[in-house]
Amino acid sequence: MTLQTYFMEATYLVASILFVLSLKGMSHPETARRGMFMAEAGMFAAIVGTLVGTEIVSWVWIIAGLTIGSIIGAWMAIWVPMTAMPQRTALSHAFGAFAAAMVGIGEFIVRGSELGAITRGALGFEVMLGALTTTGSLIACGKLQGIIHGKPIQFRGQNIINLLVALSMVGCFVYFWMHPEAAAVFYTMLGLAFVFGIMLVIPIGSADMPVVMSLLNSYAGLASAATGFVLGNNVLIIAGTLDGFSGFILSVLMCKAMNRSITNVLFGGFGSVVAEATSNVGGVMREISLDDAAMQLAFANRVVFVPGYGLATAQAQHAVRELAELLEARGVSVKYAIHPVAGRMPGHMNVLLAEANVPYSSLYEMEQINPEFPSTDVAVVIGANDVVNPDARDNPKSLIAGMPILEVDRAKSVIVLKRGQGRGFSGLENPLFFKPRTTMLYGDAKSTLSHLAQAVQHV
Ligand code: NAP
């Protein structure tokens, strides 16, 4: 081994350790930022190690790639708003998976017939998974951005067609593995994988996109691990496997949070808006004035804020913290209830509230806070809808039946901050808004919270 190779292997070891530590760090909001920096440092070490330890064919392509990639990455990090983070992540998965597929195609062209059986298998796997993740992630991105309709696209015989496409793709993979010179079969497998990625994601509604995305994340990771096998690159194998399995674990955890199985997410067509699936909705929504709401809050003993997607769109995280501080100064106990799928990405509410310096000790997970609602004087729902929909608990026919919710309807009083009659992601009506203990405070969450804070000061 040359000195350069030693250096490369050493940086790979350091990078791998940093990746493991970064995952550990990201498992808690308090250490998540540090975890992110560790991942960045690990990636930087891996790139430097590769550049030093590998024979460089052309610096021009590498510098061009680094420059274009850095510009696009910086542009995305600076300009893409927090609310568009899920689609941005989907786009990143598409890029990563496409890169893995391209490396596989390149390897096939350069030394396809020389590869041993195991490497050939890894190459086929990499190209297949990379290609289907590319198109699947692009469709997911389009659905989340609203470019493609968010409703599930379903037609008669869809599962059979999907199965046929999947079987043909796997058949081509096996044939290519046995006959590596069969270029036509290899490219047919590639084409089928692109088609399969589309077919896999179009029948899934946008409400289920986060689960799909973490599954696609897992596929992109496994494709990268396969790339590592093909190129004999250890850091790719380790990083890809970590990515693959953490993505899978996240998918399982999210399914648990929505009380659904992965099979149900992939083949259930959830997210279609079926109006008659909502029951028990009747009566009127009662409006509350700003001053009355401020009065309730100022004289309460216990207040729980329940943030949802509307908090993110309104960017109301600072406004809620300011109101909370005013209430606490008056001796009110203030807590924040965090639902695992509130917002549009895992940990969305934690990230927003952390940005506004809300102390972690004030954030309570669903299981912790639900028993406290009956003794809560006022639950303030800020732009949340599906995650507080009692139909999920009470109506077995509801499309979100079984999804665990924040049981705000058990609080002594509920004030809902939203702009109007807009529905949540699932498109369902929410019986909470019609309950006798619920009152509605209409307006953009940020300005409503600021006005509430002013009103509380005058109580
Ligand atoms: P939600 O059900 O989507 O409801 C958001 C509510 O916020 C809407 O009813 C809307 O009503 C209100 N709103 C929007 N902008 C507002 C503003 N500027 N000010 C005040 N209110 C505003 O949100 P959620 O309760 O957080 O539930 C999340 C949903 O998204 C779940 O169905 C979940 O499964 C799904 N999902 C989650 C993730 C994830 O990983 N967290 C990702 C994708 C999808 P108005 O229009 O009347 O204001």
Side-chain angles (χ1 to χ4, degrees), residues 72 111 159 180 193 365 383 387 411-412:
I72 297 178
R111 54 187 189 117
N159 280 349
E365 291 182 9
V387 299
K412 293 176 192 161

Side-chain angles (χ1 to χ4, degrees), residues 5 7 97 104 123 137 144 161 178 190 235 268 315 356 401 413 422 457:
T5 324
F7 177 77
L123 184 132
S137 303
L144 288 166
I161 293 175
M178 292 190 323
L190 175 69
V235 80
Q315 288 292 296
S413 167
Q457 279 174 309

Side-chain angles (χ1 to χ4, degrees), residues 8-220:
M8 183 177 77
E9 292 301 334
T11 54
Y12 283 0
L13 184 66
V14 172
S16 305
I17 294 170
L18 284 169
F19 290 152
V20 173
L21 291 176
S22 84
L23 275 181
K24 175 96 185 75
M26 280 188 265
S27 64
H28 195 277
E30 221 161 320
T31 49
R33 194 181 284 260
R34 197 172 63 212
M36 209 53 228
F37 286 136
M38 283 181 172
E40 285 168 13
M43 197 52 85
F44 183 73
I47 292 174
V48 172
T50 308
L51 291 179
V52 171
T54 345
E55 190 193 334
I56 304 294
V57 182
S58 157
W59 276 104
V60 177
W61 284 102
I62 290 174
I63 292 171
L66 275 177
T67 313
I68 297 172
S70 305
I71 291 173
I72 297 178
W75 178 83
M76 282 165 83
I78 296 167
W79 297 109
V80 174
M82 276 302 287
T83 43
M85 219 31 86
Q87 44 272 52
R88 194 215 71 95
T89 312
L91 206 56
S92 300
H93 291 167
F95 289 156
F98 191 58
M102 293 296 277
V103 170
I105 297 167
E107 283 296 301
F108 172 73
I109 293 170
V110 176
R111 54 187 189 117
S113 48
E114 299 160 23
L115 298 172
I118 294 182
T119 324
R120 215 160 53 232
L123 184 132
F125 188 68
E126 166 194 355
V127 170
M128 199 169 67
L129 227 50
L132 75 88
T133 307
T134 305
T135 45
S137 303
L138 287 176
I139 298 284
C141 174
K143 283 199 171 209
L144 288 166
Q145 183 62 25
I147 302 168
I148 302 171
H149 210 296
K151 282 188 198 170
I153 301 171
Q154 289 174 311
F155 50 86
R156 195 182 277 268
Q158 191 167 27
N159 280 349
I160 303 284
I161 293 175
N162 284 1
L163 194 69
L164 285 178
V165 175
L167 286 178
S168 315
M169 180 181 72
V170 174
C172 288
F173 168 64
V174 174
Y175 191 91
F176 155 73
W177 184 68
M178 292 190 323
H179 309 277
E181 68 291 343
V185 177
F186 176 82
Y187 289 115
T188 310
M189 176 192 77
L190 175 69
L192 285 169
F194 278 132
V195 173
F196 187 60
I198 299 173
M199 301 293 283
L200 198 66
V201 181
I202 55 166
I204 303 168
S206 23
D208 270 343
M209 264 325 124
V211 182
V212 174
M213 268 171 48
S214 60
L215 262 186
L216 290 171
N217 174 22
S218 156
Y219 293 168

Side-chain angles (χ1 to χ4, degrees), residues 21 165 191 284 327 343 436 440:
L21 291 176
V165 175
V284 285
L327 293 175
M440 312 295 290

Side-chain angles (χ1 to χ4, degrees), residues 77-393:
I78 296 167
W79 297 109
V80 174
M82 276 302 287
T83 43
M85 219 31 86
Q87 44 272 52
R88 194 215 71 95
T89 312
L91 206 56
S92 300
H93 291 167
F95 289 156
F98 191 58
M102 293 296 277
V103 170
I105 297 167
E107 283 296 301
F108 172 73
I109 293 170
V110 176
R111 54 187 189 117
S113 48
E114 299 160 23
L115 298 172
I118 294 182
T119 324
R120 215 160 53 232
L123 184 132
F125 188 68
E126 166 194 355
V127 170
M128 199 169 67
L129 227 50
L132 75 88
T133 307
T134 305
T135 45
S137 303
L138 287 176
I139 298 284
C141 174
K143 283 199 171 209
L144 288 166
Q145 183 62 25
I147 302 168
I148 302 171
H149 210 296
K151 282 188 198 170
I153 301 171
Q154 289 174 311
F155 50 86
R156 195 182 277 268
Q158 191 167 27
N159 280 349
I160 303 284
I161 293 175
N162 284 1
L163 194 69
L164 285 178
V165 175
L167 286 178
S168 315
M169 180 181 72
V170 174
C172 288
F173 168 64
V174 174
Y175 191 91
F176 155 73
W177 184 68
M178 292 190 323
H179 309 277
E181 68 291 343
V185 177
F186 176 82
Y187 289 115
T188 310
M189 176 192 77
L190 175 69
L192 285 169
F194 278 132
V195 173
F196 187 60
I198 299 173
M199 301 293 283
L200 198 66
V201 181
I202 55 166
I204 303 168
S206 23
D208 270 343
M209 264 325 124
V211 182
V212 174
M213 268 171 48
S214 60
L215 262 186
L216 290 171
N217 174 22
S218 156
Y219 293 168
L222 294 179
S224 311
T227 312
F229 275 110
V230 174
L231 300 179
N233 184 308
N234 292 337
V235 80
L236 262 179
I237 298 176
I238 296 172
T241 313
L242 287 174
D243 193 16
F245 282 93
S246 56
F248 186 71
I249 292 170
L250 181 60
S251 315
V252 172
L253 288 178
M254 288 174 76
C255 280
K256 246 183 163 175
M258 300 197 232
N259 195 29
R260 334 234 348 256
S261 69
I262 288 207
T263 346
N264 183 247
V265 168
L266 292 178
F267 305 107
F270 174 79
S272 42
V273 183
V274 183
E276 65 268 29
T278 307
S279 71
N280 305 328
V281 178
V284 285
M285 295 191 196
R286 286 186 308 123
E287 210 176 328
I288 187 170
S289 72
L290 198 80
D291 288 337
D292 287 348
M295 196 79 85
Q296 274 198 35
L297 290 173
F299 291 108
N301 285 322
R302 290 164 173 239
V303 169
V304 175
F305 287 115
V306 182
Y309 178 60
L311 179 99
T313 50
Q315 288 292 296
Q317 60 273 28
H318 294 278
V320 68
R321 201 244 310 134
E322 280 156 23
L323 174 62
E325 281 175 358
L326 281 174
L327 293 175
E328 280 168 338
R330 296 180 64 101
V332 181
S333 143
V334 177
K335 292 180 178 173
Y336 296 79
I338 308 295
H339 191 284
V341 292
R344 291 293 180 270
M345 62 178 179
H348 204 168
M349 297 302 116
N350 300 69
V351 173
L352 286 174
L353 295 173
E355 186 199 316
N357 290 326
V358 171
Y360 295 114
S361 54
S362 304
L363 309 191
Y364 288 77
E365 291 182 9
M366 188 167 55
E367 300 74 24
Q368 295 172 300
I369 202 78
N370 269 344
E372 296 198 18
F373 278 118
S375 58
T376 298
D377 298 306
V378 193
V380 186
V381 176
I382 309 168
N385 194 335
D386 293 345
V387 299
V388 291
N389 188 337
D391 246 6
R393 181 195 60 211

